[in-house]
Amino acid sequence: MVSAEKSTHNLHLHHPLSLIPFPFPLVKFQTRVLDWFDKHGRKTLPWQKKPTPYSILVSEVMLQQTQVNTVTPYYLRFIQKFPSFMALARASVDEVLELWSGLGYYARARNLHQTAKIVCEQYGGEFPPDYAKIIKLPGIGRSTAGAILSFAFGARHPILEGNVRRVLARVLGIKEWPGSPHVMTKLWKWALCLVPARRVAEYNQAMMDLGALVCTRRFPRCLECPLSGMCVAYKEGEVHVIPVAKPSRLKPVKRALFLMIVDRSSRVLLERQNERGVWRGLWSFPHCDGVDEINRTVAIYGVKTGALQFLTPFRHTFTHFHWDITPVVLQSSRISKQKGQEDVCWYPLDASREEPSLGLPAPIKRLIKLLGTF
Ligand code: SF4
């Protein structure tokens, strides 16, 4: 995400919002950030080598909610299989979700797939360098749009992802949760004023790197920080209370039995999750509320009932609820019918057999692996 332009600190700001009173000179802030970037910033990430709107979009979407180290192998596999908007648009949703399996937040993958289709259908495969058009694409918010415009097109747009938000909240000493709408409005105004007229891509990358490498959530390295001289949180000894945590709301707890029906050929039954579920489009074991529903599911598949084996329950947490899951294994010697063939798959537990291309959530992958050891 580094532009070819190099080495100018002749920075200017020509935006009316620069009238906002800052507790420090803007140029000093920008210069310190860029000087630090020149020495310590990340310049060899896979998506920085030959940045294109497509590679920046894929990396930015993957980096939402996920750290660079986790994203890198997923990004490399994704770009190898789908090297362009056209390749991604032509893929099936199963192929896309398979490559996303384990990365979580699967709506990102579905939105990316949709965006590729729109770019091909409406813009002839060329990503539009136009904020008003980009912001309408599925799953692209203001910060991701800013990243694409600055990294791929060199346009002067700020970003405000989690790392940048944390740096600004601390530097400005904001003692409210930065995710609240009125604080976000202020932060966007500041972010817009601070972004320089030149070296925009490097500045945006520098702010993300500062947050990821120096101004980290739990152990900020203030003594190595180029902004310590102008940081309110540091000066006031409040680094560990800023950013203020999101007001906690107890997450609801849901419960389910995962029915793992294994046939005599060592295959386990998976169902494609419907359009409304949290794993929609992905594949999972049949979910049951209780033993009665297990009996109904068994009847639907015409499974000869054997003993149910209850495994150790575990909790899987989503952003908006906890899911307490009890896996239940049913070894079946006879299966006489199947519902909706295209939404049902018998998945081989033997790792040496060819696995179908399916999107599998991380807990399902783990349970399949566990079943393979039985
Ligand atoms: S001085 Fe510390 S708290 Fe302030 S921006 Fe730097 S690392 Fe973050």
Side-chain angles (χ1 to χ4, degrees):
M1 288 186 236
V2 182
S3 76
E5 189 184 359
K6 276 273 174 196
S7 74
T8 172
H9 290 174
N10 183 18
L11 304 166
H12 305 284
L13 195 72
H14 302 292
H15 196 281
L17 283 170
S18 61
L19 296 175
I20 288 177
F22 279 93
F24 41 75
L26 298 182
V27 172
K28 192 169 160 191
F29 182 96
Q30 295 158 345
T31 305
R32 288 194 179 183
V33 168
L34 284 164
D35 282 350
W36 176 86
F37 178 76
D38 288 340
K39 290 191 196 109
H40 307 288
R42 294 182 287 196
K43 305 173 188 84
T44 56
L45 296 171
W47 43 91
Q48 291 176 314
K49 285 181 188 149
K50 283 186 191 163
T52 64
Y54 179 69
S55 65
I56 297 298
L57 173 66
V58 173
S59 64
E60 285 299 322
V61 170
M62 286 188 170
L63 287 166
Q64 293 165 0
Q65 328 269 1
T66 314
Q67 295 193 339
V68 165
N69 288 348
T70 307
V71 162
T72 298
Y74 281 91
Y75 171 84
L76 292 172
R77 282 195 295 270
F78 200 92
I79 287 287
Q80 191 178 21
K81 180 140 187 194
F82 308 122
S84 63
F85 283 113
M86 197 61 82
L88 181 56
R90 284 192 189 128
S92 71
V93 71
D94 276 338
E95 288 175 300
V96 177
L97 288 172
E98 183 200 10
L99 283 193
W100 211 275
S101 291
L103 201 54
Y105 301 99
Y106 296 95
R108 297 182 297 176
R110 288 187 287 268
N111 285 333
L112 192 55
H113 191 209
Q114 274 306 109
T115 287
K117 289 182 179 178
I118 294 170
V119 168
C120 291
E121 284 162 14
Q122 296 184 13
Y123 304 113
E126 296 290 327
F127 199 79
D130 177 344
Y131 180 84
K133 289 179 179 159
I134 294 175
I135 201 72
K136 287 187 191 148
L137 293 168
I140 300 188
R142 191 169 170 185
S143 189
T144 304
I148 299 166
L149 284 164
S150 58
F151 294 137
F153 298 104
R156 183 176 175 268
H157 278 266
I159 56 171
L160 196 54
E161 47 72 86
N163 287 309
V164 180
R165 225 185 299 173
R166 184 168 58 254
V167 173
L168 289 184
R170 283 176 170 161
V171 168
L172 295 160
I174 295 176
K175 291 176 194 151
E176 290 175 89
W177 175 50
S180 67
H182 74 280
V183 177
M184 280 299 281
T185 303
K186 275 192 221 166
L187 284 173
W188 271 114
K189 285 180 180 170
W190 280 319
L192 182 58
C193 288
L194 283 167
V195 73
R198 299 188 189 174
R199 301 188 69 192
V200 176
E202 286 158 300
Y203 170 85
N204 279 346
Q205 183 66 49
M207 288 296 287
M208 285 201 290
D209 289 356
L210 261 177
L213 305 176
V214 178
C215 191
T216 56
R217 181 176 301 281
R218 287 207 285 168
F219 304 110
R221 295 153 60 185
C222 300
L223 295 178
E224 297 166 34
C225 177
L227 302 175
S228 57
M230 54 182 78
C231 176
V232 173
Y234 180 60
K235 282 185 199 162
E236 297 184 358
E238 295 198 302
V239 167
H240 294 286
V241 292
I242 298 177
V244 173
K246 184 178 183 181
S248 67
R249 262 198 3 228
L250 281 183
K251 288 185 189 191
V253 178
K254 299 184 182 179
R255 292 183 177 78
L257 302 170
F258 277 11
L259 181 58
M260 304 193 288
I261 303 173
V262 180
D263 74 1
R264 292 175 85 174
S265 308
S266 269
R267 301 175 306 168
V268 66
L269 185 140
L270 297 179
E271 292 178 341
R272 191 202 300 270
Q273 301 305 289
N274 66 32
E275 285 307 307
R276 293 176 54 201
V278 69
W279 284 337
R280 61 186 182 281
L282 296 161
W283 293 75
S284 174
F285 310 111
H287 306 168
C288 303
D289 290 337
V291 175
D292 284 351
E293 199 178 343
I294 288 184
N295 291 335
R296 277 197 295 278
T297 306
V298 160
I300 288 170
Y301 286 107
V303 171
K304 185 176 178 202
T305 314
L308 298 175
Q309 184 184 359
F310 288 78
L311 304 185
T312 309
F314 63 94
R315 172 168 283 188
H316 189 69
T317 296
F318 296 91
T319 43
H320 50 303
F321 71 94
H322 298 294
W323 209 7
D324 286 352
I325 294 163
T326 303
V328 184
V329 183
L330 173 58
Q331 304 275 357
S332 176
S333 55
R334 181 174 67 84
I335 292 150
S336 63
K337 56 183 174 179
Q338 294 185 357
K339 68 172 185 182
Q341 287 288 341
E342 71 280 6
D343 290 332
V344 171
C345 165
W346 287 93
Y347 195 92
L349 296 175
D350 177 355
S352 62
R353 280 155 70 180
E354 195 184 341
E355 296 167 0
S357 296
L358 301 179
L360 299 173
I364 303 302
K365 267 189 175 176
R366 275 201 305 277
L367 287 170
I368 288 175
K369 211 170 168 188
L370 178 72
L371 275 177
T373 65
F374 276 27

